[in-house]
């Protein structure tokens, strides 16, 4: 019966998305609230960037409605006493989500400095700690169990701020941030339901529904295309941090501690690598560049859809491994992860080999009668030995 409430929450959230998102698109076009076009971005044309505005209303309405119905109908609100903590922490959770939401909205509309955004992110994370949602035990990781309150506070803030910015930074291709979020939240929802943590399952369903609708408009729709903006990406990062800390870290076991890091591994890796890369170059950690994992895949020869599909597969592998880790043990999870990673590497090598072969230029003898024929796109590339107009690799036909 309680599983049914999780499903209904997802449907209500999706319904709100169906109603709200098209109207956001229409209003954004009328007010010309479009995403900026720059060298780092891969889209062309004027596209609204306020899709994330629908996330908070859909989440609050669906979760509050289903919780209210459960209370009114007299059904058990939870299957575990642990879930009752949600109601003590819920008010601070909503306060933090609201702060993140309006900060992202202000950034999308007028732009904010990264320093001011960091301040709000830290304050929102501290609200969670004050409300009782914090990391207080490492579950034996590195031989450490309970940690002092100030250490737990620092760890909680670091996790929240890191995930906030991880999902913001990875939002660079259509369907990437929303698709990865759906995969991760789906794995979390299955894990919560499997372990009878239905309140957390309802919270996850309350965001999965609206993000699923947004994903359709972001990827499948051409006339009604929309981006989520910082409003959506930071909201998703924060909600993922919250459900990870509330639902997983409270089990105080090494396995449960590893689950969120597996599920969230890709954006975390991309963000940490980006910070180290920029610091090694003497740049600010928040300096924009075009060296994220999705950019690198595109530079390797993948199309945008292929790059997104590769990252989906990686996230699905990590999420499935996390679920197996908690249900079947560490050994089976490790074997599964290694097998799937090996299959992924072999598939990538086969694809890249075929892709490179298809782009090899056939060697033909020049024909005098074709000397005035129009040059093809490939003919505009510099020869390996340079050209008469300049040194090797700097001819007029250089490809960026």
């Amino acid at each position: 019966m309680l599983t049914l409430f999780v499903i209904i929450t997802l449907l209500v959230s999706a319904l709100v998305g169906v109603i709200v998102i098209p109207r956001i698109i229409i209003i954004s076009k009328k007010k010309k609230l479009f995403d900026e076009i720059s060298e780092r971005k891969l889209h062309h044309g004027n596209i609204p960037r306020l899709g994330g505005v629908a996330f908070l209303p859909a989440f609050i309405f669906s979760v509050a409605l289903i919780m209210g119905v459960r209370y009114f109908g007299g059904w058990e609100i939870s299957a575990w006493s642990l879930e009752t903590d949600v109601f003590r922490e819920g008010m601070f959770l909503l306060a933090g989500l609201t702060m993140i939401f309006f900060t992202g909205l202000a950034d999308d509309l007028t732009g904010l400095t990264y320093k001011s955004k960091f301040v709000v992110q830290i304050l929102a994370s501290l609200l969670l700690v004050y409300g009782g949602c914090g990391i207080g035990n490492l579950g034996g990781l590195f031989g450490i169990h309970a940690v002092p309150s100030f250490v737990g506070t620092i760890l909680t803030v670091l996790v929240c701020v890191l995930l906030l910015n991880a999902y913001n930074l990875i939002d660079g291709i259509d369907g990437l941030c929303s698709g990865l979020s759906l995969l991760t939240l789906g794995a979390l929802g299955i894990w919560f339901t499997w372990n009878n943590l239905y309140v957390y399952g309802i919270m996850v369903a309350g965001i999965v529904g609206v993000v699923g609708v947004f994903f359709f408009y972001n990827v499948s729709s051409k006339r009604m295309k929309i981006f989520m903006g910082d409003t959506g990406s930071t909201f998703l990062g924060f909600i993922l941090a919250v459900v990870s800390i509330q639902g997983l870290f409270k089990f105080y076991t090494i396995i449960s501690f590893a689950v969120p890091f597996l599920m969230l591994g890709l954006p975390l890796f991309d963000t940490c690598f980006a910070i180290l890369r920029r610091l090694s170059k003497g740049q600010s950690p928040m300096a924009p560049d075009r060296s994220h994992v999705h950019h690198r895949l595109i530079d390797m020869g993948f199309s945008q859809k292929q790059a997104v599909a590769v990252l989906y597969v990686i996230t699905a592998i990590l999420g499935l491994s996390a679920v197996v880790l908690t249900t079947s043990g560490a050994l089976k999870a490790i074997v599964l992860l290694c097998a799937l990673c090996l299959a992924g590497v072999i598939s990538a090598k086969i694809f890249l080999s075929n892709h490179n072969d298809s782009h090899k230029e056939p060697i033909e003898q020049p024909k005098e009668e074709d000397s005035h024929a129009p040059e093809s796109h490939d003919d505009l590339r510099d020869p390996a030995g340079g050209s008469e107009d300049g040194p090797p690799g700097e001819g007029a036909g250089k490809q960026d």
Side-chain angles (χ1 to χ4, degrees), residues 70-88:
R70 289 174 67 177
Y71 270 126
F72 183 78
W75 291 289
E76 288 292 331
I77 196 64
S78 64
W80 256 29
S81 60
L82 175 65
E83 290 185 295
T84 59
D85 294 340
V86 174
F87 304 102
R88 294 195 298 268

Side-chain angles (χ1 to χ4, degrees), residues 107-124:
D107 192 30
D108 286 333
L109 293 176
T110 62
L112 296 174
T113 64
Y114 73 88
K115 293 181 180 179
S116 60
K117 289 188 285 187
F118 264 127
V119 170
V120 175
Q121 292 169 7
I122 292 171
L123 290 176

Side-chain angles (χ1 to χ4, degrees), residues 8-9 22 86 105 126 128 136 139 161 196 289 351 360 377 379 385 395:
I8 295 175
T9 305
V86 174
L105 181 59
L126 290 174
L128 295 179
V161 173
N196 299 323
D289 60 20
F351 171 82
K360 286 182 179 179
H377 178 74
D379 292 333

Side-chain angles (χ1 to χ4, degrees), residues 180-190 204 207-208 236 239-240 243:
L180 295 183
S181 299
L182 286 173
L183 288 171
T184 304
L185 288 167
L188 284 168
I190 293 171
V204 169
I207 191 63
V208 166
L236 288 176
I239 198 70
L240 280 164
V243 296

Side-chain angles (χ1 to χ4, degrees), residues 193-211:
T193 305
W194 184 280
N195 289 278
N196 299 323
L197 295 170
Y198 295 106
V199 171
Y200 297 107
I202 287 175
M203 290 174 59
V204 169
I207 191 63
V208 166
V210 67
V211 174

Side-chain angles (χ1 to χ4, degrees), residues 211-270:
V211 174
V213 175
F214 167 82
F215 179 84
F216 169 79
Y217 283 100
N218 180 234
V219 174
S220 303
S221 179
K222 294 182 179 179
R223 188 175 60 89
M224 298 288 283
K225 191 178 188 65
I226 191 171
F227 295 152
M228 68 171 64
D230 283 3
T231 310
S233 60
T234 54
F235 180 87
L236 288 176
F238 191 73
I239 198 70
L240 280 164
V242 169
V243 296
S244 296
I245 293 172
Q246 284 185 307
L248 298 174
F249 288 158
K250 287 184 177 181
F251 279 90
Y252 301 154
T253 65
I254 296 178
I255 289 180
S256 295
F257 192 86
V259 167
F261 287 100
L262 274 175
M263 292 182 176
L264 306 168
L266 181 59
L268 288 175
F269 166 79
D270 184 59

Side-chain angles (χ1 to χ4, degrees), residues 118-399:
F118 264 127
V119 170
V120 175
Q121 292 169 7
I122 292 171
L123 290 176
S125 304
L126 290 174
L127 281 177
L128 295 179
V129 177
Y130 187 76
C133 176
I135 300 173
N137 195 309
L138 299 185
L141 185 66
F142 306 121
I144 303 173
H145 290 273
V147 295
S149 59
F150 75 92
V151 174
T153 299
I154 294 174
L155 289 175
T156 303
V157 172
L158 285 176
V159 169
C160 291
V161 173
L162 182 60
L163 282 174
L164 269 165
N165 291 281
Y167 276 84
N168 188 26
L169 291 175
I170 208 168
D171 184 24
I173 305 180
D174 292 345
L176 181 55
C177 183
S178 56
L180 295 183
S181 299
L182 286 173
L183 288 171
T184 304
L185 288 167
L188 284 168
I190 293 171
W191 192 90
F192 289 141
T193 305
W194 184 280
N195 289 278
N196 299 323
L197 295 170
Y198 295 106
V199 171
Y200 297 107
I202 287 175
M203 290 174 59
V204 169
I207 191 63
V208 166
V210 67
V211 174
V213 175
F214 167 82
F215 179 84
F216 169 79
Y217 283 100
N218 180 234
V219 174
S220 303
S221 179
K222 294 182 179 179
R223 188 175 60 89
M224 298 288 283
K225 191 178 188 65
I226 191 171
F227 295 152
M228 68 171 64
D230 283 3
T231 310
S233 60
T234 54
F235 180 87
L236 288 176
F238 191 73
I239 198 70
L240 280 164
V242 169
V243 296
S244 296
I245 293 172
Q246 284 185 307
L248 298 174
F249 288 158
K250 287 184 177 181
F251 279 90
Y252 301 154
T253 65
I254 296 178
I255 289 180
S256 295
F257 192 86
V259 167
F261 287 100
L262 274 175
M263 292 182 176
L264 306 168
L266 181 59
L268 288 175
F269 166 79
D270 184 59
T271 301
C272 293
F273 185 74
I275 292 173
L276 293 174
R277 180 179 65 247
R278 293 164 184 172
L279 290 175
S280 66
K281 295 180 180 179
Q283 300 175 341
S284 167
M286 301 306 295
D289 60 20
R290 198 180 179 280
S291 297
H292 291 287
V293 62
H294 50 277
H295 292 134
R296 292 177 178 271
L297 287 173
I298 291 174
D299 292 340
M300 289 169 61
F302 291 91
S303 68
Q304 290 191 37
K305 291 183 178 180
Q306 290 168 339
V308 171
V310 169
L311 298 177
Y312 284 172
V313 171
I314 294 173
T315 301
I317 289 172
L318 294 174
L320 182 60
S321 300
V323 174
V324 173
L325 178 65
T326 59
T327 57
S328 301
L331 180 59
K332 290 184 179 179
I334 293 172
V335 172
L336 174 65
L337 181 60
C338 293
L340 292 176
C341 287
L342 179 60
V345 169
I346 294 173
S347 301
K349 285 188 175 182
I350 293 173
F351 171 82
L352 289 177
S353 176
N354 294 335
H355 181 83
N356 292 333
D357 291 342
S358 65
H359 280 73
K360 286 182 179 179
E361 298 180 11
I363 300 176
E364 298 180 359
Q365 296 295 329
K367 297 180 181 180
E368 186 175 350
E369 61 270 23
D370 294 335
S371 60
H372 298 290
E375 293 180 335
S376 67
H377 178 74
D378 289 339
D379 292 333
L380 296 178
R381 297 175 181 170
D382 290 341
S387 67
E388 296 180 357
D389 297 329
E394 295 185 5
K398 181 180 177 183
Q399 301 295 309

